[in-house]
Amino acid sequence: MPVSLLDPRVPAVLLRIDRNPFHHGTLGAVRSLGRAGIEVHVVAEATGSPVARSRFVRRLHPPPPPGAAPADIASALLRVAARIERPAVLIPMDDAGAVAVARLREELAPALLLPQQPGALPEQVADKAELAALCAAADVPHPETAVPDSAEQAARAAGRLGLPLVAKWSRPWLLPAGSGLRSTVVVRSARDARELYLRAEEAGSRLLLQAFLPPGPDRDWFFHGYADRSGALHGGGTGRKLCAWPRGAGLTAVGEWTGNPDIGTLAERLVDTLGYRGVLDLDFRRCGRTGAYHLLDFNPRPGAQFRLFADAAGLDVVRAQHLDLTDRPLPAGEPLPGRTFVVENYAPLAALRPAPHGRELAWYAGDDPAPGRAMRRLWCAHVTRRLRDRIPRSGPPGPRTAALLGRVPPAGPPSSAEQADEEKAGSR
């Protein structure tokens, strides 16, 4: 995209409250805006993170702590705005940030620019329990869902919905670190459902149980877009998940831009019905029995693989938001079906295969190589620690374990965010 299309006088502020050194979506946003001549400020815990090495980061700012009160989040963001000394486009990169910023919109304006929409809407769509009702109102398929009010109701719901089933915490951004609770798990017995419900107070939000839609070839899809002030969608498209990490239920390790009019129609219907404005990331799974596409998640912020949908004009969702909020026209670029996005640390072989329709890597970039090098060092240290944790404490490692360790460089200092990353990765 020509630099002249974006207004270089207006900086961008990226907010990430969740502590995750392997969040490649933040790096994608930094590069996308920085390459277009935008001054990029990052409000996130970046100690040891590859994002901190990007040449496109103008300045790193300390984030509010996980679980911070809205007043503390507002104070942290307004301090950043005061340092910048001119209005800036604010883009939350995680659900916790998106929910908090929507609540604080009036307090943050005019120093920070945000899409104009009802403040409660991002919180409603991110809440897994409320999403079921919103889908019903918009006539968008959604897995059959129960929200039990007691442990016994949870057990009965397991019998009614059928086993296995999916259990989710309605507001996963509230899960306490170190609790061992995951945002999404597969439940295989009524007893498991009952015991999980008993941890609701610890989880900080309601438990919901959903009918299980089995994974399979061509069943996992996603939609990214930016809804402008008129509700028109830009900067995105429909993608097919070719490889997930962990397999079958994780984040997109390899994704392909694949046109799917049915999913596009469902996304437009949701935006029109809800009046949603801003960036959205939707996850769908096709039912193998009926062929219907069921909405699993509505994330009110950029998805980690949003750069898959950079079109022929260079438009993506973060550039679309910057253009829209600075009153610039949004170019109508041609889609690039067949383009792929690969997260190298989760799918290294896919990063080496030919890509006739174009490909973007999550970490490596020829014009910004330092984050890729930092990711390799950090990932090797992470893998080394995981392997060492599996060594029996009672004696020296066996030949196979010793051989595995011998292929990995020595571990660096431990990262406090790695366990949180593992849990997040397993939830999508």
Side-chain angles (χ1 to χ4, degrees):
M1 173 181 290
V3 171
S4 59
L5 287 182
L6 279 85
D7 190 342
R9 298 169 299 175
V10 182
V13 175
L14 306 180
L15 170 66
R16 184 165 181 85
I17 296 176
D18 180 39
R19 302 192 174 196
N20 179 356
F22 298 119
H23 190 258
H24 48 274
T26 302
L27 178 61
V30 166
R31 286 172 169 166
S32 178
L33 295 167
R35 287 169 179 152
I38 302 301
E39 179 183 310
V40 182
H41 294 255
V42 178
V43 182
E45 176 52 61
T47 303
S49 171
V51 174
R53 305 298 182 90
S54 175
R55 72 183 185 91
F56 296 112
V57 173
R58 175 62 62 91
R59 186 165 186 167
L60 294 167
H61 304 266
D72 295 329
I73 296 173
S75 296
L77 290 172
L78 291 174
R79 280 196 297 270
V80 173
R83 284 189 172 185
I84 296 173
E85 296 183 327
R86 59 193 189 279
V89 172
L90 175 59
I91 305 176
M93 298 301 300
D94 60 10
D95 289 344
V99 169
V101 163
R103 290 178 179 176
L104 298 166
R105 187 182 184 281
E106 292 186 7
E107 188 172 347
L108 298 176
L112 295 166
L113 307 178
L114 291 163
Q116 192 162 8
Q117 66 177 336
L121 190 52
E123 188 169 359
Q124 288 178 310
V125 298
D127 187 304
K128 314 298 183 186
E130 295 193 37
L131 181 60
L134 295 176
C135 285
D139 193 25
V140 170
H142 184 274
E144 186 178 358
T145 300
V147 184
D149 289 327
S150 68
E152 289 308 313
Q153 281 191 17
R156 288 197 297 271
R160 179 172 61 82
L161 294 173
L163 295 169
L165 54 81
V166 176
K168 298 180 179 180
W169 298 108
S170 64
R171 300 188 174 197
W173 62 91
L174 298 179
L175 289 174
S179 67
L181 291 169
R182 292 180 178 269
S183 62
T184 303
V185 295
V186 176
V187 171
R188 303 190 182 277
S189 70
R191 178 180 177 181
D192 289 344
R194 180 188 298 110
E195 291 179 351
L196 201 56
Y197 178 86
L198 294 175
R199 301 188 69 181
E201 185 175 354
E202 180 185 359
S205 64
R206 294 178 290 175
L207 177 72
L208 60 147
L209 303 173
Q210 287 183 347
F212 179 70
L213 297 178
D218 296 330
R219 290 191 184 180
D220 286 316
W221 294 74
F222 48 89
F223 178 92
H224 293 190
Y226 174 78
D228 69 13
R229 62 195 65 193
S230 71
L233 289 166
H234 305 269
T238 57
R240 192 161 51 106
K241 188 182 292 190
L242 303 182
C243 177
W245 188 88
R247 290 178 180 270
L251 59 79
T252 300
V254 182
E256 180 185 76
W257 191 341
T258 306
N260 189 319
D262 292 338
I263 289 178
T265 297
L266 293 175
E268 290 175 356
R269 188 184 303 163
L270 268 173
V271 168
D272 290 344
T273 302
L274 303 179
Y276 184 87
R277 300 293 181 266
V279 180
L280 62 151
D281 164 24
L282 310 177
D283 291 323
F284 290 89
R285 177 165 287 179
R286 181 172 58 85
C287 177
R289 182 174 54 84
T290 67
Y293 292 94
H294 291 248
L295 182 66
L296 303 183
D297 286 305
F298 188 132
N299 303 299
R301 40 77 181 169
Q305 72 273 25
F306 78 91
R307 282 291 302 166
L308 170 65
F309 299 111
D311 63 21
L315 190 68
D316 59 34
V317 294
V318 299
R319 289 184 176 184
Q321 178 161 335
H322 196 282
L323 288 166
D324 187 44
L325 298 184
T326 55
D327 297 316
R328 296 271 178 133
L330 279 72
E334 290 294 321
L336 301 174
R339 189 170 190 263
T340 59
F341 183 87
V342 178
V343 188
E344 308 96 295
N345 50 319
Y346 300 134
L349 295 180
L352 302 175
R353 297 189 188 110
H357 300 290
R359 173 175 56 211
E360 180 144 346
L361 300 179
W363 297 105
Y364 176 76
D367 63 344
D368 190 30
R373 291 194 295 264
M375 185 280 294
R376 286 193 292 272
R377 291 192 297 270
L378 187 65
W379 189 250
C380 285
H382 168 74
V383 171
T384 300
R385 281 190 291 275
R386 293 299 297 263
L387 290 173
R388 286 178 172 169
D389 288 344
R390 295 179 183 181
I391 297 174
R393 300 291 183 181
S394 57
R400 183 172 181 274
T401 303
L404 285 171
L405 287 174
R407 300 189 195 119
V408 185
S415 166
S416 62
E418 288 179 358
Q419 182 180 353
D421 175 58
E422 291 284 322
E423 293 179 5
K424 289 288 182 183
S427 70
R428 292 193 55 198

